[in-house]
Amino acid sequence: MAKLLVPLVVLGAVAGAPPPPLPTLLCARTGLLAVPPLLDRGAVELRLADNFIGAVGRADFANMSSLVHLTLSRNGLRRLAPGAFADLRALRALHLDGNRLPALSGAQLRGLANLRHLILANNQLAAIEPAAFAAFAATVEDLDLSHNNLPALPWDAVAAMASLATLTLDHNLLERVPAGTVARLPRLTRLDLTANRLRALPPVPGPPGPMLAAGGNPLHCNCELLWLRRLAQPERLESCASPAPLAGRLLWAVPEEELTCRAPSIAGAAAHPPAVIEGQPLRLECAANGDPAPALHWLGPDGRLVQNGSRRAVGLDGALELRVATLDDHGAFTCVASNAAGEAAARVAVAVLPLPVPHGDAGDAGAAGASDMARAGANETRAPGERRVVAAEVTAASARIRWLPQRHVPGVRVFQIQYNSSGDEAPVYRLLPPSSRSFTLRDLAAGREYELCVAALQGSAPTGGGGGGGPSPPLTQPLGCVRFSTAPSGSMSPPGCSAPARPHFLGGTVIIVIGAAIAASVLLFILILTARYKAAARRGPPLASACSQTSGPPPPPTPEPGAGTGAVTGAPPPRCPWAPVATASPDGPGPGAMGPYRGSTRAGGGEAAVLRPSFGSTHWMLESTV
């Protein structure tokens, strides 16, 4: 059969002979459609070239920790699973050339900690993530990315390859090589940039420096290529594509005096519009000529270089956009154009007018609010009469932003807050209801300066002219900006601010509350018992003694054993001084019955009593008198 796996070739010998050679698996040209599942996991070299393996899975090379050389060339590979080579910790050479890989991600080459040679030529690579080379950045010596579709490389990741000796990048779509990248590769001996789209080349270190091949690029021959002209020899193929007098000539044949540069000149610089109200956008444009094309940058009114951020951004064409103008932008910006031949500068005046503060009558809530905010805004740098937005109660991690009620701005849909810090230029936005007058920013960074602006977003702008165009975007009415600084980390809380309650403090408070509730319940129970006792006492005095009423004569006293005739014990209880009344009682039966006996009279008096039988049938207890 055509699809047979060539057996493992092991040359062994009897005891005492030299050790056998390392095991090698040869599976080339056998028509494999996938990685064989029954591979020898102890193999040192594995060759699977010239097959039809379209994908490599996570388990295909699992546990092959002894593999040193792996060849997967010319298989038509389209997919590498994340971690497909994670177990190949001893791998030194990986050949993936002649496949159809479209891109490389950070997880696909994970685990190759000892890789020395990575061959990825003749693929369809159009993008490579910076993390793709992270696993072997310190060990790789040979990197071949030729014959791909790469418009750019993760140059910072390439520059981190301290052991790199050969870098092959020919036949790609590279348009630039950042200056200083090659200088950061101390062991580089060969750099191939043939057949790309490079118009300029940064100087490479030398002499001796790496051997460079850069033919087939549309080089712009000017003074920036003097270093390459001095390295040129008749056998080199670098040629000029521009300027027109030098087009088509080999660089080594161009005299050095013809490789010239032209200093930049400012063709025009202006602000559009030249004057704005605080909070409105502004665009500064600058055009410059020179050879090579000059790079443009801007200096602010304070003389500092303008950096890209949330409020300011320099475009690829050199234009500076101020998304939200502040009073700090009032003054003159400087456009600076520079190239290898020199630099030129031009000043652009910018006028930023402060927002007017409306003065309401005595009943207007806005007047009172302005006075209150003026007192609170310790970080505001503007005059009190111009204060529109105030940062108050500023701590290390929060700030309370207040602004005046906007009665003069009709149709406010939402308020927008935009801010950024000096350490992070990424803008942060907040949208608030139209009834808002303040907002507390939280999770701020300690010890940083923040710049914040507030704007009111109104309804759609009128289209005008009765045209049938679509709805216009909402109008933005700037309200003002403020700059404030958060307190340093570890600083004390400002007066009036209390530290957040600690968990153990809250737990103790709960225990105290529960204990107080229990004590109050016990006290209430005691008070109820006391009240009931006093109510019972008011119904009648307690009995001082008890008497008995029997239906017959009392029993004789029993003498105490061993005592004289005069000592007796068990004296009978005193006889009740009541005489039973023989008449029928309305509340119960007569004498001898177990119910209440009423109608007895005291001898010699006219009082009546109510007798109730005690436990037994012969004794009666005095209950009450009538």
Side-chain angles (χ1 to χ4, degrees), residues 70 75 91 94 110 131 162 191 272 311 315 352 357 366 382 402 416 422 424 452 465 469 483 507 619:
L70 175 60
N75 271 282
L91 194 69
L94 176 60
R110 184 178 67 233
L191 174 61
H272 303 284
R311 287 198 317 106
V352 180
V357 178
R382 296 163 53 187
R402 301 178 181 177
Q416 174 182 287
S422 56
D424 183 7
L452 179 144
R483 179 176 293 175
H619 290 76

Side-chain angles (χ1 to χ4, degrees), residues 300-344:
D302 56 357
R304 300 174 61 182
L305 182 66
V306 175
Q307 303 285 348
N308 286 341
S310 59
R311 287 198 317 106
R312 299 172 173 179
V314 180
L316 297 177
D317 58 350
L320 172 61
E321 182 180 359
L322 303 179
R323 299 188 180 98
V324 180
T326 65
L327 293 181
D328 293 335
D329 297 326
H330 182 80
F333 284 78
T334 304
C335 172
V336 180
S338 59
N339 64 9
E343 66 179 28

Side-chain angles (χ1 to χ4, degrees), residues 497-508:
C497 297
S498 60
R502 300 179 181 272
H504 64 269
F505 175 77
L506 295 177

Side-chain angles (χ1 to χ4, degrees), residues 439 612-613:
F439 182 74
R612 183 176 297 277

